[in-house]
């Protein structure tokens, strides 16, 4: 396959992965709002917002910098990749511990029923998500767009498939959080493939 054909194929897969992420977010919000009802969906919104905020703070630009540095090294600097992964792993482990121990206080501040348990389940997503983010950045820097897009497709697909599998048994906030953790783990495993 020529380089331009490979680039075009990679671009299509990355585009499909990004579209799948957007659709998964929309469908997840739709399913959760419909199944949980207004009060429980509000609780979900608070818990998920805290999780998303912690995960975004944790990025600190490291995945973006990793992508650029890996690209500048021609995708051949494994030491850089290992160091970035280690840095992100340590940072997200600290964020995990922070949220884990802050959960009881956050439950009080935001008046979240069973908030400590829900926030601690949510915290389990922090490290896999961080490692997934840096793995995607490494793949982008290596210009392995097909694998990058595929990993995003797996991440998004796992999220929707998980919610749909849980749906017949009654979708709960706890179940939705476990699906979130599973989607990060599956996305990470796909990126490491």
């Amino acid at each position: 396959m020529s380089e331009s054909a490979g680039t075009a194929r990679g671009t299509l897969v990355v585009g499909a992965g990004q579209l799948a992420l957007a659709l998964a977010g929309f469908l997840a919000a739709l399913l959760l709002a419909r199944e949980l009802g207004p009060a429980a969906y509000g609780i979900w919104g608070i818990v998920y917002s805290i999780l998303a905020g912690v995960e975004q703070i944790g990025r600190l630009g490291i995945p973006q910098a990793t992508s650029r540095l890996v690209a500048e090294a021609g995708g051949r600097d494994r030491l850089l990749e290992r160091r970035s992964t280690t840095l992100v792993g340590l940072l997200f482990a600290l964020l995990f511990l922070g949220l884990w121990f802050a959960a009881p206080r956050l439950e009080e501040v935001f008046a979240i029923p069973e908030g400590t348990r829900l926030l601690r389940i949510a915290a389990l997503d922090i490290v896999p998500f961080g490692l997934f983010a840096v793995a995607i950045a490494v793949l982008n820097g290596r210009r392995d767009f097909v694998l990058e897009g595929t990993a995003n497709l797996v991440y998004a697909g796992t999220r929707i498939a998980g919610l749909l599998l849980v749906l017949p048994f009654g979708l709960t906030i706890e179940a939705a959080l476990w699906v979130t953790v599973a989607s990060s783990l599956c996305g990470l495993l796909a990126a490491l493939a």
Side-chain angles (χ1 to χ4, degrees):
M1 179 182 327
S2 72
E3 185 176 337
S4 62
T7 301
R9 180 174 173 236
T11 302
L12 287 174
V13 178
V14 166
Q18 292 300 315
L19 180 61
L21 289 173
L23 286 173
F26 173 74
L27 290 173
L30 201 63
L31 276 173
L32 290 166
R34 183 174 160 259
E35 293 299 314
L36 294 177
Y41 187 69
I43 294 167
W44 160 262
I46 293 169
V47 171
Y48 194 76
S49 293
I50 291 169
L51 173 64
V54 169
E55 289 175 340
Q56 290 308 310
I57 289 167
R59 293 177 72 139
L60 293 172
I62 298 169
Q64 296 88 337
T66 299
S67 181
R68 181 179 176 151
L69 293 171
V70 168
E72 288 174 355
R76 295 180 302 274
D77 192 341
R78 301 297 186 239
L79 181 60
L80 167 67
E81 294 172 11
R82 287 193 303 273
R83 286 180 176 166
S84 294
T85 302
T86 301
L87 179 61
V88 167
L90 291 172
L91 175 62
F92 276 77
L94 288 173
L95 290 170
F96 160 76
L97 291 172
L99 183 54
W100 186 272
F101 290 114
R105 182 71 181 125
L106 291 169
E107 176 181 357
E108 291 174 19
V109 169
F110 291 104
I112 306 169
E114 300 183 53
T116 298
R117 184 175 57 82
L118 294 173
L119 287 165
R120 285 183 172 169
I121 294 169
L124 296 173
D125 185 57
I126 293 173
V127 174
F129 175 83
L131 294 174
F132 174 66
V134 78
I136 289 294
V138 167
L139 293 172
N140 185 276
R142 288 182 188 169
R143 294 178 177 85
D144 192 344
F145 303 124
V146 171
L147 189 51
E148 176 188 351
T150 301
N152 279 325
L153 284 167
V154 168
Y155 176 80
T158 303
R159 188 162 187 206
I160 293 306
L163 291 174
L164 291 174
L165 286 172
V166 172
L167 195 58
F169 304 102
L171 190 54
T172 64
I173 298 169
E174 185 175 319
L177 290 169
W178 283 113
V179 168
T180 300
V181 174
S183 64
S184 291
L185 286 169
C186 289
L188 175 60
L189 291 174
L192 295 176

